[in-house]
Amino acid sequence: MAGTQEIFVFKDALIVLGTAAVVAPVVHRLKISPVLGFLAVGAALGPHGLGRLAPHSQVVDLFTVTGEPQIAFIADLGIVFLLFFIGLELSLRRLITMRRLVFGLGGLQVVLTTAVLSLGALRLGLPPAASLIVGACLALSSTAIVMELLSGQHRMMSTTGRTSFAILLAQDLAVVPLLFLIGALAGPADGASVAEGIAVALAEAAVAVLTIAVVGRLVLKPLFRLAAGTDNPEFFMAATLLIAVGSGVVAAYAGLSMALGAFVAGLLLAETEYRRAVEAMIDPFRGLLLGVFFFSVGMHVDLAFILHEPLVVAGGFLAMILVKALLLAPLARLFGTPWSASIESSLLLAPGGEFAFIGIGLAVTVGLVEPEVAAGVLAVVSLTMASLPFIALLARRAGNLFVRAVAIDPQFTVLPPDDQTRRVIVVGHGRVGQLVCDLLEKHAIDYIAIDRDAAAVERWRRLGRPIYYGDASAPLFLRRCGLDEATGVIVTLDTAAVDDVVRAVRARRPDVMLVARAHDAQHARHLYTLQVTDTVPETIEASLQLAESSLVALGIPMGLVIASIHERREMVRRELQAAAGTTSSITEQIRHARREKIPRS
């Protein structure tokens, strides 16, 4: 008997772990979103699923989750680590540039959507206070699911990702006055005291965020330096958990969501050199915790209510999606977002969010919303959240319909010549690539240029430049461009694709002269480890040119200035090569590669 009781105590955890270990790989194999798998299993194994269909079956009880509060606590941690991880992926500078979207677009979305949905609830017969609470809770979206979908698609930095994230961040900030509003409406408070309370709550929230930011600036680096100095992964993980959860607790004490505090901590940590190590440390169990969150959301899907009131649920589902999407799309366009991203973001944010369960649950507790009304509203919210992966697919296709395609004349997308001519290959034809090509032409050196901007390729080909459209990191395309016969490759790109191009070139031609553009000294050292012949760090080269102009203006003879600048440039190059472990000379590297006589098919 005691053994059976222990099984029932731990069975909820076993069910969740079983879902993660079995269901998630299966849906991944079927190319279905893991989010959908956790939601479906949560709905089936929750209190409104199998347990209601067979209430007296011990077998069903064994596979039904009953400890919802414990699951909800773990799910909350999943949201905390999701926002912490998102903070790591962003930077403070990028977030500051988004302030117009956060406080302008996001603020207007919350206010207008709350007003329209509240009026709709009022027309349906709900009391004014209940209408306002229901409208405000439905105006918010699912930070966890939307961010997980965008992050999984590596689209956080896209226009849709930035717009969606800015609005979701504004919604998280709106949680503070909304929580206070529910408490204020439940008591005999007048308008002045409500406004005063909201102002105090916002001030406390600002102080909390400022405290996290200031303390984080002072504590983060020393703490992680101490943890990293021990060379013990357990200490490093403990420091990570302390920062993520501790900042969330500080925010929670001020009435903010724990997730918002964790986001601020992640944002600060993104500015340190420990960012990548922390990402690698928390990524595995972040996914498990988020899975628990999606499982808990599925538990709120009341299948019986949906079956008994299908028309009500379907009507509420469609009304919620249409109202929120139709309000947000023109608002986003008003703030300069392209129509494609505006439509996609509006559909992504149209479903309800996890805060609806907290807000409406609190409203039921204080007597503002009737339990029957809450059941219907939460059923609609659950269904919209469960359908979000499908809505995301529809949103992307709808957005693509409004993408303006650039008409390209077929004659400007011809393949590079396959004439075995020895040429220099210039990868990238932006500002730097254009100047390189100009100088190659001046010195009568044969070359071809490669770029992925189809419109720019068309424009420059009309001017007579030998430029071709294509991906220079693709080995087959490089071969078509004459890499096997090339006298040199010059990479002028300023994106992360530089590494891919360098690797592709070196895999085929370890002996060819390869010069690549670098952002700074650290990037240059990295490129030397990839065996580039030479690299030009933009920051160092700009400093040398600035020094050259200054010395000449101060009256130093041009010859001495050029000699000293050249000597300094060579010294920096040798230091970078030594730091990268590539101290052999360029000539020795090329001769060694030629002696190897690596065959090329």
Side-chain angles (χ1 to χ4, degrees):
M1 185 67 181
T4 304
Q5 291 177 348
E6 290 180 1
I7 291 176
F8 275 90
V9 169
F10 295 105
K11 72 182 179 68
D12 291 347
L14 291 175
I15 291 172
V16 174
L17 290 176
T19 303
V22 178
V23 176
V26 170
V27 296
H28 181 74
R29 177 70 64 90
L30 297 175
K31 296 184 178 180
I32 301 174
S33 171
V35 173
L36 190 59
F38 279 107
L39 288 171
V41 175
L45 303 182
H48 305 294
L50 296 177
R52 181 170 292 185
L53 295 177
H56 303 295
S57 173
Q58 292 185 353
V59 176
V60 172
D61 288 342
L62 186 62
F63 292 97
T64 302
V65 176
T66 55
E68 188 175 336
Q70 291 85 348
I71 296 295
F73 171 73
I74 303 175
D76 290 340
L77 286 180
I79 304 175
V80 167
F81 280 100
L82 172 66
L83 268 294
F84 182 70
F85 201 83
I86 291 171
L88 286 174
E89 293 178 345
L90 293 172
S91 67
L92 189 60
R93 186 179 308 163
R94 184 177 290 115
L95 186 62
I96 291 174
T97 63
M98 293 169 59
R99 63 186 182 276
R100 180 170 171 268
L101 288 177
V102 174
F103 299 105
L105 175 58
L108 277 176
Q109 185 273 334
V110 172
V111 172
L112 290 180
T113 307
T114 298
V116 173
L117 292 177
S118 298
L119 288 175
L122 194 62
R123 292 291 301 271
L124 292 175
L126 291 183
S131 300
L132 181 58
I133 298 304
V134 169
C137 290
L138 294 183
L140 306 183
S141 310
S142 177
T143 300
I145 300 181
V146 173
M147 290 295 96
E148 178 68 13
L149 289 172
L150 291 173
S151 180
Q153 298 171 359
H154 304 286
R155 299 181 62 215
M156 282 298 300
M157 295 301 105
S158 65
T159 304
T160 300
R162 290 194 304 268
T163 303
S164 301
F165 176 74
I167 297 170
L168 289 170
L169 185 57
Q171 293 178 358
D172 282 344
L173 293 172
V175 167
V176 181
L178 184 52
L179 282 176
F180 182 84
L181 182 63
I182 294 173
L185 291 175
D190 56 21
S193 61
V194 171
E196 182 181 350
I198 292 177
V200 171
L202 290 175
E204 291 177 351
V207 170
V209 172
L210 187 61
T211 301
I212 295 172
V214 173
V215 174
R217 290 280 187 185
L218 299 175
V219 172
L220 276 180
K221 274 197 173 184
L223 177 62
F224 278 96
R225 188 183 300 116
L226 180 64
T230 63
D231 198 22
N232 191 320
E234 286 80 7
F235 292 153
F236 198 86
M237 178 176 287
T240 302
L241 293 175
L242 174 64
I243 293 300
V245 180
S247 57
V249 170
V250 172
Y253 269 112
L256 290 168
S257 65
M258 287 184 65
L260 187 59
F263 168 74
V264 175
L267 201 65
L268 296 173
L269 194 55
E271 306 293 332
T272 69
E273 61 271 27
Y274 305 104
R275 168 187 176 183
R276 299 301 180 189
V278 171
E279 286 179 347
M281 183 73 68
I282 69 173
D283 192 46
F285 60 88
R286 176 187 71 102
L288 177 61
L289 293 173
L290 278 175
V292 178
F293 165 73
F294 297 133
F295 189 99
S296 69
V297 171
M299 290 169 57
H300 288 90
V301 179
D302 192 339
L303 299 178
F305 184 88
I306 295 173
L307 293 175
H308 285 100
E309 301 288 348
L311 295 179
V312 173
V313 174
F317 179 95
L318 292 175
M320 182 175 177
I321 297 296
L322 289 175
V323 168
K324 293 180 71 174
L326 291 176
L327 285 174
L328 180 55
L331 271 181
R333 186 68 188 94
L334 186 64
F335 277 77
T337 306
W339 271 118
S340 58
S342 298
I343 291 172
E344 185 177 1
S345 298
S346 64
L347 287 172
L348 279 174
L349 301 180
E354 51 274 0
F355 182 75
F357 299 100
I358 301 173
I360 293 180
L362 178 61
V364 172
T365 303
V366 298
L368 287 175
V369 177
E370 295 294 328
E372 294 78 12
V373 174
V377 172
L378 293 182
V380 172
V381 172
S382 301
L383 201 59
T384 59
M385 294 177 69
S387 61
L388 225 167
F390 299 108
I391 294 176
L393 294 175
L394 175 65
R396 193 161 190 182
R397 292 183 180 180
N400 288 337
L401 295 177
F402 289 82
V403 176
R404 293 184 178 180
V406 180
I408 304 296
D409 193 327
Q411 66 173 316
F412 297 116
T413 59
V414 295
L415 292 173
D418 190 13
D419 54 7
Q420 312 298 317
T421 303
R422 294 172 60 82
R423 299 184 179 91
V424 173
I425 300 175
V426 180
V427 180
H429 198 260
R431 174 178 51 86
V432 177
Q434 293 169 22
L435 181 58
V436 170
C437 292
D438 289 343
L439 292 175
L440 290 174
E441 289 179 357
K442 182 176 182 180
H443 291 278
I445 298 176
D446 286 338
Y447 73 93
I448 64 170
I450 304 170
D451 202 275
R452 297 195 64 177
D453 186 340
V457 170
E458 176 184 351
R459 184 172 64 254
W460 280 98
R461 283 191 65 83
R462 282 202 177 100
L463 297 175
R465 179 149 288 180
I467 181 172
Y468 299 88
Y469 174 83
D471 181 6
S473 63
L476 291 178
F477 182 75
L478 284 174
R479 287 179 59 187
R480 181 63 195 237
C481 290
L483 177 61
D484 291 344
E485 298 79 30
T487 56
V489 179
I490 305 172
V491 184
T492 68
L493 301 174
D494 61 349
T495 66
V498 173
D499 292 8
D500 296 333
V501 175
V502 169
R503 290 190 182 96
V505 171
R506 276 293 175 242
R508 184 76 184 175
R509 287 287 306 276
D511 61 321
V512 73
M513 185 274 294
L514 175 58
V515 179
R517 175 182 178 184
H519 300 299
D520 49 28
Q522 181 179 359
H523 188 207
R525 284 193 294 270
H526 169 67
L527 290 176
Y528 276 123
T529 64
L530 300 181
Q531 299 301 313
V532 296
T533 306
D534 202 359
T535 182
V536 181
E538 292 181 341
T539 54
I540 295 177
E541 193 60 33
S543 302
L544 293 174
Q545 292 182 13
L546 181 63
E548 179 181 347
S549 299
S550 301
L551 290 172
V552 171
L554 291 172
I556 306 299
M558 178 64 76
L560 292 177
V561 172
I562 293 175
S564 60
I565 294 297
H566 179 73
E567 180 182 357
R568 184 63 179 175
R569 183 181 287 114
E570 290 298 319
M571 183 186 303
V572 170
R573 181 180 291 112
R574 287 194 298 270
E575 290 174 354
L576 293 174
Q577 290 176 338
T582 57
T583 54
S584 59
S585 68
I586 297 169
T587 304
E588 289 174 351
Q589 294 177 32
I590 295 177
R591 285 177 178 173
H592 175 72
R594 287 174 176 168
R595 282 197 302 268
E596 293 291 326
K597 296 182 179 179
I598 298 176
R600 299 192 296 271
S601 56

